[in-house]
Amino acid sequence: MIKFKGVLGRRALLSGIATAAMLVMGGAALAQDISGELAILQWQGGVDAEMWAKLEADFVAQHPGVTVRELAITAQGDARGGIRTAILGGEKVDLIINTWPAFRKELADAGILRGLDDNWTALGLDTTLSQSWRDLGISDGVSYGVPYTYGDRSGIWYKTSQLKDAGVEVPKTWEEFIAAIKTLKAAGYDTPIPMPAKYWAHGEWFETLLLRTGGVEAAAKLAAHEIPWTDEVVKTALRKYAELLNAGCCGTPEQMFAGDWDMSADQIFKAGTGNFLLVGMWVNARAKGEYGLTEGVDYSLFQFPSLGLGHDDTSSVDAKELLATSNGANPDAADAFLTYIVSPEATKILADYGYASPSSNADTSLLGPVQQQATAAVAASKVQFVLGDLLPGDLVDEYRVQLQKFLQDPSDANIDAVTAAIEAKAAESY
Amino acid sequence: MIGRVPNWIVWVVGVIACIWVIPIIGIVVTSVRPPADVTLGWWRLDNIRFTLDAWMRVWDEYPLANAFWTTLWITLIGTSATMLLTPAAAYAFHFLKFPFRRTILVIIINAFVLPVQVVVIPLFQLWRDTGLIDNILAVLIPYVGLSFAWSIFLVKNFMEDFPKELIEAARIDGCGPLATFWFVVLPNSLAAVFAVGILQFLWCWNSLLLPMLYLRTNIPLPVLLTRVSGTYDLNWDLRSVAAIVTTIVPLIVFLVFQRQFAAGSQTRTGAKE
Amino acid sequence: MSISAADAAARSSQESSPVGGGRRKPIAVRRRRLGEVPAAWLLIIPVLILFAITVIYPLVETIRLSFFDIKGLGKPKFIGTGNYIKLFTDPAFRNTLWTTLMFTLGTTTITVSLGWFLAMLCSFAPQRTLVFRVMIFAAFGISEAVSGYMWISMLRPDQAGLLNSVIGLFSPGFAHPWLGDPNTALWMIIVAASWSGVGLPLMLCFAAVQGIPRTVLEAAYMDGAKPFAIMRFIMVPLSMPGVRVAIFINLLGALRAFDIIYVLTGGGPVRSTETVGYFMYRESMTQFKLGYGAAATVILLVAVMVVSIPAIIQRTAGAK
């Protein structure tokens, strides 16, 4: 985790004391006093929607004076279109569920979000969330997001029997990884890494490679466009990516463009033509539900192999967070919910659905073995949010298309062309 | 029945229809096989098991009956309004002379290019100001209003080979423009009107974006069933059930209206020649 | 809910009153019949009102937005014709024009010709082909997201794909990534879109031909006319309104196509299947650059008007 940075300022200290005093005097009453309607903007479907219904019911059970109204935005594809439409149309809610840092900034710039710095301690978030998680929810220096779940995006999924049969040890270093790919190819696997390059998942490899070459600092600077895309860090990461492609990891570009991550997962766990998948923790649910595999026995995950460039203690993560609004009718209930979402009760519900919580109240032993392994790996790393979700909308699109071009031709000359093209787009996006 | 219809005609149509229906068979099969068995394709025969799990889950977890009635109600009003207003306007545009006729027609027909996504936000604000959010009028008005571009074009085109002599005859009999429409033109345009009915019914029934944004308490089936899949739990078995459940009613309507085409042709018997 | 429903019913009965009035007093009309102009306005007023709310107002709003730079929820900034200038220099947008042309021509040609052909065949045996027509039309009713998934599974790049395994029967080990190869991806989208589209021209042309009185057909048969002759001289001319409408709806549907492209290829590989409709959706809904998306809409609207106005004027000139 990121070290606790800086010294507490005097202002923060004072406000800390003040809120602590408030808590002592009115803290007990605070929990009971809230009432009225709490409006939450919820855009997820399937089991996520089910989980949210449970969380809300549990919250209401604890605070009988409150009713929860879920403003359910049904989304097809990208949910942000629907959320923006509702907000522009004048809908007012107290809490917004969010998973895109770039969207948080957009909401904050529009003046819709309420900064949580003044309340952070009063809500008890300073004890339940470590500083590095708090940092992930900061836009322009203000704390907005309260992360309630996160996932490891630098873990590589594999099927245990495939590696065992091919006599491959779980690779620790980049060299071992490349060697493993060659061994697996020799063992008859066409595409050891069935690369899902249809939409965005081919960016995952680049993003972790970037972290491992330049560290969280370089990745954060690139996301903020403080260093250009033509920087040597980016090119080095792409060259490492090219080593993978040149080792014959992924077949032809046409094969890569043909599918998304679910098809890649099928190829590994079902068709048995591939071996490695770098994508989010949601693969876990699919492996259990769709393929009927046993977590930790039939399949597992290992953390990205070390490059030896001095930044191997980094991991890419995604997170979902709650944002409090400045125009909501019931900020007190919203605050109570922010405290609730990191409480032992809420993290238990999250764990039931296979979601890891960043809260110190979370009991990681409730999670499956592979999940525990991933949370331990994240806890031991410096974390950085997935790059694709940090970039402005039109840039992220160009970035993914240019990476597709890179997959077509991973030569040094094309790396120059591709990075120059992304940089050209970035120049007009910020 | 016409005698001597060559059998090969029926065969050709039948073979094409059977090819056409392959993806739909896929949807049906996906809905009744365990997801694990169809991951690599619904046509795989390596492990044949059937289950009604997906059907039960959709039935248990989603208030289908309520959504069904909401959808039916909205669709019926939306469809009948279009079926009523469109032929009247098409008649006026085609047979009557009035100022700005062409200009208005050009504007209405070209409006079809306007994507719904563009309409969505201005209307959202309008409905909020008028308090129509969560009122079925919020979707009904655009369903009907946006249908005119294609429906008027359709009916007007079908009216183009309407025999002018009949109109003249009606006029000589003393019918005004309204009576001519109601007694002469409308009964002879039923095939077009029912074609409009089928399309409008289908599009209202399947409409997703507008009710998704404008309705809250009573939501139609397609919106409800969009929620069966999450961001990463793709649930194709549940989505297949959803697709079947939503498509079945428009198909029945299609069947019923198809019969009306034939009925339309009979009333028109005297019209030709 | 019940109040609003009653309200709607009241409205719709009000709207239909001119028509109802005509039915109730056919005799009275004889003496004091409405002049052509008032009658025309009476018939189109409800249409105009609904049209103004749902089309004209959003359209004006769209034109206004197209002069602003809007990024997501940020404050709109007036930039005059900036969006238009940017559009014409945006390689991604120019790229969509060619793709749109191919996609539109491809789907319209396949759908309309096949649908028309089937409608002609079905017209010979309306009853015996009813179930086949329903089968073909069913594709038209399936949401594109779900049918897209079916196509993805059938077009899988490995040997497991249905198309690949069928071809594999003749050439073992065949595996072509249909949707990943820029040379075949657009064609596969055209096939998938045409698959769902054929029901429309089939239905419309069939409806048009159903206007033929049975007696005419029977008389023709009696005279010993061959099916081809009947088709050539009776059915083809009658099906033309259906063909025109089908082309119109197909063309404009193709310009707006989004779902099927998103599901099958996401606009890729490397933008090779991005159409104008996809571009507009991406800009205005995903990236929420409303101004930019609005400008693209306006350009499309103007382009379509330029093409369609002469046709409409020519067609309306014939009306008496």
Side-chain angles (χ1 to χ4, degrees):
Chain A
M1 290 276 175
I2 299 172
K3 296 274 152 47
F4 201 94
K5 278 186 285 197
V7 193
L8 269 178
R10 186 187 282 172
R11 279 255 291 296
L13 196 67
L14 283 177
S15 72
I17 293 168
T19 43
M22 249 175 63
L23 265 183
V24 171
M25 292 186 290
L30 200 71
Q32 267 102 51
D33 269 348
I34 58 162
S35 62
E37 186 188 76
L38 173 69
I40 302 178
L41 197 156
Q42 204 288 104
W43 42 267
Q44 301 163 92
V47 286
D48 295 316
E50 197 183 303
M51 182 184 82
W52 268 97
K54 278 228 174 94
L55 285 170
E56 288 157 5
D58 189 44
F59 177 72
V60 171
Q62 287 185 24
H63 304 273
V66 182
T67 53
V68 173
R69 177 173 66 94
E70 203 178 78
L71 175 63
I73 302 284
T74 315
Q76 225 189 358
D78 196 323
R80 279 171 285 188
I83 300 174
R84 291 178 181 117
T85 309
I87 289 172
L88 279 183
E91 289 283 2
K92 289 188 172 56
V93 292
D94 300 297
L95 292 170
I96 299 172
I97 300 171
N98 177 45
T99 184
W100 312 271
F103 189 52
R104 182 208 306 132
K105 182 167 160 35
E106 186 183 324
L107 289 166
D109 290 346
I112 293 164
L113 297 188
R114 175 159 59 94
L116 296 172
D117 289 304
D118 296 342
N119 284 9
W120 197 265
T121 316
L123 296 176
L125 296 172
D126 54 340
T127 54
T128 41
L129 292 174
S130 73
Q131 186 64 30
S132 67
W133 287 115
R134 183 176 177 174
D135 286 345
L136 283 185
I138 289 179
S139 286
D140 295 329
V142 183
S143 283
Y144 292 109
V146 176
Y148 67 86
T149 184
Y150 70 96
D152 178 13
R153 293 285 277 264
S154 293
I156 298 174
W157 298 88
Y158 67 98
K159 196 171 179 179
T160 43
S161 60
Q162 286 178 343
L163 295 204
K164 195 182 287 168
D165 294 348
V168 173
E169 290 287 314
V170 168
K172 296 260 182 333
T173 65
W174 187 247
E175 289 71 29
E176 284 173 25
F177 188 55
I178 303 265
I181 284 171
K182 289 182 173 154
T183 315
L184 287 162
K185 263 188 94 75
Y189 295 102
D190 274 351
T191 51
I193 302 174
M195 183 68 71
K198 181 167 159 184
Y199 297 111
W200 50 269
H202 55 300
E204 302 283 298
W205 290 90
F206 167 72
E207 289 174 17
T208 298
L209 278 168
L210 179 74
L211 278 179
R212 296 295 172 91
T213 25
V216 256
E217 295 77 13
K221 278 185 188 157
L222 186 65
H225 203 218
E226 284 161 11
I227 54 171
W229 282 82
T230 46
D231 194 279
E232 206 46 41
V233 171
V234 180
K235 290 184 179 174
T236 313
L238 283 174
R239 271 184 224 120
K240 285 283 171 194
Y241 202 156
E243 286 175 18
L244 215 54
L245 296 166
N246 292 334
C249 69
C250 320
T252 65
E254 288 79 24
Q255 283 173 312
M256 300 184 225
F257 297 150
D260 197 11
W261 65 271
D262 54 330
M263 195 177 282
S264 302
D266 291 350
Q267 277 164 355
I268 295 166
F269 298 112
K270 202 78 187 173
T273 55
N275 313 94
F276 300 122
L277 179 61
L278 175 66
V279 80
M281 293 306 292
W282 55 83
V283 173
N284 208 15
R286 187 173 176 92
K288 282 188 278 194
E290 193 112 327
Y291 311 131
L293 302 176
T294 310
E295 180 174 352
V297 178
D298 296 327
Y299 67 97
S300 187
L301 117 171
F302 61 89
Q303 214 57 14
F304 204 86
S306 56
L307 288 187
L309 294 175
H311 297 286
D312 290 323
D313 56 345
T314 51
S315 284
S316 180
V317 294
D318 58 21
K320 285 191 185 128
E321 62 186 14
L322 280 174
L323 302 171
T325 60
S326 55
N327 58 4
N330 202 345
D332 294 337
D335 284 350
F337 198 91
L338 293 180
T339 310
Y340 166 76
I341 197 68
V342 287
S343 69
E345 295 81 8
T347 54
K348 166 100 179 41
I349 295 177
L350 284 158
D352 288 345
Y353 282 88
Y355 284 113
S357 165
S359 164
S360 60
N361 288 322
D363 180 359
T364 47
S365 69
L366 294 174
L367 299 167
V370 172
Q371 277 249 300
Q372 289 189 26
Q373 201 186 324
T375 47
V378 171
S381 311
K382 294 180 184 169
V383 293
Q384 170 67 9
F385 212 99
V386 181
L387 182 64
D389 291 337
L390 291 167
L391 300 175
D394 44 351
L395 179 61
V396 72
D397 201 66
E398 185 68 24
Y399 153 70
R400 285 167 183 160
V401 168
Q402 290 301 333
L403 277 188
Q404 285 186 330
K405 285 192 179 165
F406 161 76
L407 293 179
Q408 284 177 320
D409 171 18
S411 68
D412 279 0
N414 198 38
I415 287 176
D416 290 345
V418 160
T419 49
I422 306 177
E423 178 55 29
K425 189 76 181 179
E428 54 179 87
S429 296
Y430 286 88
Chain B
M1 279 284 92
I2 304 165
R4 300 202 307 140
V5 175
N7 268 326
W8 65 265
I9 287 185
V10 181
W11 276 102
V12 168
V13 178
V15 167
I16 294 178
C18 288
I19 296 173
W20 232 248
V21 94
I22 290 173
I24 295 177
I25 294 174
I27 295 172
V28 177
V29 171
T30 307
S31 78
V32 294
R33 290 184 67 180
D37 295 0
V38 293
T39 314
L40 294 181
W42 50 265
W43 56 86
R44 304 275 288 208
L45 301 175
D46 25 354
N47 194 359
I48 303 176
R49 289 179 297 169
F50 293 100
T51 168
L52 288 177
D53 250 22
W55 286 87
M56 303 295 239
R57 269 183 69 190
V58 170
W59 180 257
D60 288 342
E61 289 169 26
Y62 297 89
L64 288 183
N66 186 34
F68 182 87
W69 289 117
T70 309
T71 322
L72 192 66
W73 182 233
I74 295 177
T75 306
L76 282 181
I77 301 178
T79 308
S80 32
T82 299
M83 284 173 76
L84 218 62
L85 297 176
T86 295
Y91 164 79
F93 281 121
H94 194 69
F95 291 109
L96 303 180
K97 263 198 203 127
F98 57 96
F100 307 116
R101 180 175 61 105
R102 268 188 216 166
T103 319
I104 297 174
L105 188 63
V106 165
I107 292 173
I108 289 185
I109 290 178
N110 278 289
F112 194 47
V113 189
L114 204 67
V116 194
Q117 297 89 288
V118 171
V119 177
V120 155
I121 293 162
L123 275 189
F124 199 108
Q125 286 158 339
L126 185 67
W127 297 154
R128 276 209 72 83
D129 297 344
T130 49
L132 280 183
I133 291 289
D134 204 17
N135 184 320
I136 59 166
L137 279 179
V139 292
L140 271 178
I141 293 174
Y143 281 176
V144 179
L146 292 171
S147 74
F148 290 133
W150 61 268
S151 66
I152 290 180
F153 183 83
L154 195 160
V155 177
K156 193 184 155 306
N157 252 284
F158 274 62
M159 282 178 178
E160 270 171 24
D161 23 88
F162 190 86
K164 298 266 156 54
E165 312 84 69
L166 275 181
I167 306 236
E168 275 311 306
R171 177 171 309 203
I172 292 160
D173 285 353
C175 280
L178 294 183
T180 310
F181 166 66
W182 190 252
F183 291 110
V184 182
V185 178
L186 188 59
N188 287 298
S189 309
L190 287 184
V193 174
F194 284 114
V196 166
I198 290 176
L199 292 177
Q200 174 71 353
F201 190 97
L202 186 73
W203 282 330
C204 287
W205 186 274
N206 282 341
S207 178
L208 192 60
L209 193 60
L210 295 177
M212 204 184 248
L213 295 166
Y214 298 160
L215 297 183
R216 302 259 187 272
T217 33
N218 288 307
I219 54 169
L221 270 182
V223 179
L224 180 75
L225 292 175
T226 304
R227 295 182 187 165
V228 301
S229 61
T231 322
Y232 295 115
D233 47 326
L234 306 170
N235 290 336
W236 284 109
D237 52 338
L238 302 185
R239 284 166 89 167
S240 299
V241 174
I244 298 168
V245 169
T246 35
T247 315
I248 212 89
V249 174
L251 273 190
I252 294 170
V253 170
F254 177 75
L255 258 171
V256 172
F257 278 12
Q258 275 283 308
R259 296 189 183 281
Q260 296 301 319
F261 288 168
S265 86
Q266 266 136 41
T267 47
R268 200 172 167 170
T269 305
K272 281 285 162 191
E273 246 96 28
Chain C
M1 173 72 193
S2 64
I3 294 171
S4 67
D7 194 23
R11 251 169 216 242
S12 87
S13 80
Q14 268 167 26
E15 281 155 3
S16 66
S17 64
V19 175
R23 179 185 51 190
R24 258 181 264 118
K25 294 184 178 180
I27 311 291
V29 170
R30 184 167 297 175
R31 281 293 134 216
R32 301 189 294 106
R33 69 182 191 200
L34 224 44
E36 230 178 86
V37 174
W41 285 111
L42 201 58
L43 290 174
I44 64 167
I45 273 296
V47 169
L48 290 185
I49 292 172
L50 288 173
F51 189 77
I53 299 173
T54 56
V55 178
I56 301 296
Y57 163 66
L59 183 66
V60 171
E61 194 65 14
T62 303
I63 295 172
R64 195 178 67 85
L65 283 181
S66 73
F67 297 111
F68 286 85
D69 181 27
I70 305 168
K71 279 188 181 140
L73 296 164
K75 288 266 175 299
K77 197 171 83 204
F78 184 81
I79 51 163
T81 54
N83 283 325
Y84 292 93
I85 294 165
K86 201 170 150 220
L87 263 179
F88 283 113
T89 54
D90 186 342
F93 180 69
R94 276 182 302 180
N95 174 48
T96 64
L97 298 177
W98 176 248
T99 315
T100 309
L101 188 70
M102 298 289 287
F103 177 74
T104 310
L105 286 181
T107 50
T108 310
T109 313
I110 297 178
T111 352
V112 177
S113 54
L114 187 58
W116 174 83
F117 177 67
L118 285 167
M120 291 301 101
L121 293 183
C122 289
S123 303
F124 283 102
Q127 298 301 325
R128 285 159 73 194
T129 54
L130 177 63
V131 75
F132 299 140
R133 288 204 305 278
V134 174
M135 282 160 76
I136 294 171
F137 190 77
F140 191 65
I142 302 273
S143 81
E144 287 184 348
V146 176
S147 73
Y149 169 71
M150 286 297 134
W151 283 100
I152 288 177
S153 72
M154 293 191 295
L155 298 173
R156 283 183 88 98
D158 42 27
Q159 292 176 37
L162 186 61
L163 185 56
N164 280 340
S165 31
V166 169
I167 298 176
L169 293 178
F170 306 100
S171 119
F174 185 86
H176 182 77
W178 297 98
L179 295 171
D181 184 345
N183 295 316
T184 52
L186 186 60
W187 291 108
M188 289 303 122
I189 295 178
I190 290 175
V191 167
S194 305
W195 172 78
S196 49
V198 164
L200 176 81
L202 168 60
M203 194 261 286
L204 290 173
C205 296
F206 183 78
V209 174
Q210 284 304 298
I212 308 172
R214 283 285 147 67
T215 46
V216 175
L217 286 181
E218 271 159 18
Y221 271 112
M222 298 295 190
D223 293 349
K226 289 267 177 338
F228 182 76
I230 292 177
M231 201 163 131
R232 168 79 181 76
F233 295 108
I234 303 175
M235 291 180 176
V236 172
L238 271 170
S239 66
M240 281 307 133
V243 172
R244 280 197 299 268
V245 174
I247 290 177
F248 171 77
I249 296 183
N250 248 298
L251 279 179
L252 297 176
L255 287 178
R256 297 193 300 188
F258 163 73
D259 279 337
I260 192 78
I261 299 172
Y262 179 78
V263 175
L264 286 188
T265 63
V270 204
R271 296 224 163 100
S272 60
T273 55
E274 268 185 15
T275 63
V276 173
Y278 186 88
F279 181 87
M280 284 195 304
Y281 186 88
R282 179 158 59 77
E283 294 298 324
S284 55
M285 283 317 263
T286 312
Q287 303 189 0
F288 230 65
K289 292 197 297 188
L290 292 176
Y292 201 51
T297 309
V298 172
I299 289 179
L300 188 64
L301 195 68
V302 170
V304 170
M305 280 191 126
V306 166
V307 177
S308 67
I309 287 176
I312 294 173
I313 286 177
Q314 188 229 327
R315 296 216 71 83
T316 49
K320 58 157 217 67

